[in-house]
Amino acid sequence: MPFDFINTHLQARQQDALLRKRHVVQHATARTITVNNKTYLNFASNDYLGFGDEAVNLNDSHALGSHSSALVTGYQAQQKALEQYLCDQFGYGAGMLFNSGFSANSSVIKALFQDKAAAQNSAIFQDKLNHASLIDGAMHSNAALVRFNHNDMNHLRSRLEKSKAQNKLIISEGVFSMDGDTAPLKELLALAKQHNAWLMIDDAHGFGALGKTGLGSCEAFITQTLPDILVITFGKAVASSGACVLGSKQFIDYMLQFNRDYTYSTAMSPLMASHTLARIKNIKTADDKRDKLNANIALFKQLAKSHNIAVMESNTAIQPIVLGCAEQTLQAADKLKQQGIWLTAIRPPTVAHNTSRLRITLTAAHTEQDITHLVKHLVGAVA
């Protein structure tokens, strides 16, 4: 029969405890989530500052739809204002908005190496733990893909020294989404300069939560040297959706010519652009929320250590506990749900084989009592 492989693959996923399912969420905040009429403490949200619980108040209303592609009639003043604000904050020459971070990451890489002749003399150097969108973009480009060990600058240096490519692009995340650790940006910038390479950083999980004013992993480098390409995602600490790619004016002009996702997608909603800009301006002064988030991270790490819970080395809101076995991880997540705690069991192919984990995400909305309750029941769940 045609397409018998579908049922075969679904059965295999089920047997390996890897079958993915969706849950209808009736209500969610950064602190709680309601599913099937039951409310849980939510430790799976990316709304790190808790802004998703707050309304954005604008003096005027904007159209919900942009009506067309940005290269037809969809590029409106609200989108331009959001791009310009981010350019001004970082010092980049230009930016362009996308409806998702995945689209931004993958399409930029594909478009940059769309010329087959140039791509034959190009190489993309990716951290092995980079997000799927970055890996997919490289795999579907015409350039060679070279992987280096996670945050291993000696390995990256060796790869760069051996490469004969004329056009080298190094790609990393600012904060790694499944491990919670941060990239060594200073060393990455130095290696890029030394080897005449470009550096691209996806700061989805850093923007808003890190930096003195919430500008993320790269804020400390604004007065020095920034990555050649910076991707800012709005679906995490900004509690919105979409993304912005920042770079030189020449680079963005090139993207406008050759980025198929941008050319053939309806542009970001003007309403979404306006709300996102207002939220980012709020984030700039949200020192109290960042302080609370950092205090919650410190409290969780302290309590986990005192209860001998093996948490990965991370100082960000992402605090993973690797259990290894996918079935065991699912069982642990179910035990926690019985105690009113919602946690996601992260399994392959999202993470490597035998590294299934509970991915705990902390927010500024959590209370000390919430975190104490979490750690208390983690002890029994991961035993």
Side-chain angles (χ1 to χ4, degrees):
M1 293 290 292
F3 300 100
D4 277 349
F5 66 86
I6 291 178
N7 189 51
T8 301
H9 282 245
L10 286 173
Q11 288 180 348
R13 279 290 177 96
Q14 180 76 53
Q15 291 170 0
D16 294 337
L18 300 178
L19 190 67
R20 292 166 167 166
K21 297 179 181 179
R22 294 184 294 181
H23 301 277
V24 178
V25 177
Q26 295 161 290
H27 181 70
T29 69
R31 181 173 175 261
T32 63
I33 185 171
T34 303
V35 178
N36 293 330
N37 298 316
K38 181 176 179 180
T39 299
Y40 305 82
L41 284 174
N42 185 3
F43 285 99
S45 171
N46 290 332
D47 182 12
Y48 301 128
L49 299 181
F51 269 117
D53 307 341
E54 301 178 8
V56 176
N57 297 313
L58 297 176
N59 294 327
D60 53 353
S61 60
H62 303 292
L64 177 61
S66 59
H67 309 302
S68 69
S69 162
L71 294 179
V72 182
T73 61
Y75 186 53
Q76 301 181 28
Q78 294 81 13
Q79 298 147 359
K80 173 62 177 175
L82 175 53
E83 291 174 353
Q84 191 60 56
Y85 181 82
L86 289 169
C87 286
D88 292 344
Q89 294 301 305
F90 284 96
Y92 281 102
M96 61 194 303
L97 298 175
F98 290 82
N99 288 314
S100 77
F102 197 107
S103 175
N105 279 338
S106 62
S107 68
V108 161
I109 299 168
K110 288 185 289 185
L112 186 59
F113 299 106
Q114 55 80 32
D115 182 280
K116 290 186 178 180
Q120 287 179 352
N121 199 18
S122 303
I124 303 167
F125 300 82
Q126 293 235 33
D127 189 293
K128 285 190 175 181
L129 295 189
N130 274 354
H131 191 265
S133 58
L134 298 168
I135 302 300
D136 280 12
M139 290 178 66
H140 290 95
S141 79
N142 294 308
L145 172 58
V146 182
R147 308 287 290 274
F148 62 91
N149 294 334
H150 177 52
N151 277 348
D152 187 337
M153 295 301 98
N154 288 329
H155 193 218
L156 172 57
R157 181 182 295 105
S158 173
R159 296 286 200 181
L160 289 166
E161 288 173 349
K162 291 177 181 178
S163 174
K164 296 180 180 179
Q166 179 180 351
N167 310 300
K168 302 182 183 73
L169 176 65
I170 303 168
I171 307 177
S172 181
E173 296 185 55
V175 175
F176 288 87
S177 59
M178 290 300 123
D179 283 30
D181 56 348
T182 57
L185 287 177
K186 185 176 180 180
E187 290 85 348
L188 283 168
L189 286 162
L191 278 174
K193 182 178 180 181
Q194 181 182 348
H195 293 274
N196 199 27
W198 276 18
L199 176 64
M200 176 178 175
I201 295 294
D202 168 18
D203 205 27
H205 294 272
F207 185 72
L210 301 183
K212 186 177 180 180
T213 64
L215 290 179
S217 305
C218 297
E219 181 166 356
F221 301 94
I222 287 176
T223 58
Q224 303 169 33
T225 303
L226 284 165
D228 301 274
I229 307 169
L230 177 61
V231 181
I232 297 298
T233 301
F234 307 137
K236 277 69 178 180
V238 183
S240 180
S241 66
C244 188
V245 175
L246 299 168
S248 68
K249 185 179 185 304
Q250 186 180 44
F251 167 72
I252 296 299
D253 283 344
Y254 188 85
M255 287 294 114
L256 290 175
Q257 315 311 313
F258 300 108
N259 191 301
R260 292 171 63 84
D261 284 38
Y262 190 82
T263 300
Y264 300 112
S265 294
T266 298
M268 178 184 286
S269 156
L271 182 65
M272 185 63 70
S274 294
H275 278 241
T276 300
L277 176 55
R279 177 62 50 71
I280 292 174
K281 289 180 178 178
N282 290 337
I283 281 176
K284 287 278 291 179
T285 57
D287 297 338
D288 55 338
K289 289 181 179 290
R290 277 185 290 277
D291 289 345
K292 183 63 164 67
L293 173 60
N294 289 329
N296 283 346
I297 294 168
L299 175 62
F300 173 77
K301 288 169 64 71
Q302 173 195 334
L303 291 175
K305 183 177 180 180
S306 66
H307 286 83
N308 295 316
I309 299 172
V311 182
M312 294 185 71
E313 286 294 326
S314 166
N315 292 316
T316 69
I318 301 167
Q319 296 287 319
I321 300 174
V322 175
L323 301 180
C325 172
E327 187 173 2
Q328 180 188 358
T329 306
L330 276 176
Q331 291 172 352
D334 287 339
K335 287 180 182 178
L336 290 165
K337 284 184 175 66
Q338 293 170 18
Q339 302 299 329
I341 296 167
W342 190 274
L343 265 182
T344 305
I346 305 293
R347 297 157 291 157
T350 304
V351 292
H353 185 60
N354 286 333
T355 67
S356 293
R357 67 198 61 187
L358 296 174
R359 178 180 177 266
I360 298 162
T361 51
L362 302 167
T363 76
H366 289 122
T367 67
E368 291 185 9
Q369 291 76 15
D370 295 340
I371 296 170
T372 301
H373 181 76
L374 168 66
V375 173
K376 173 184 175 182
H377 293 289
L378 274 172
V379 174
V382 303

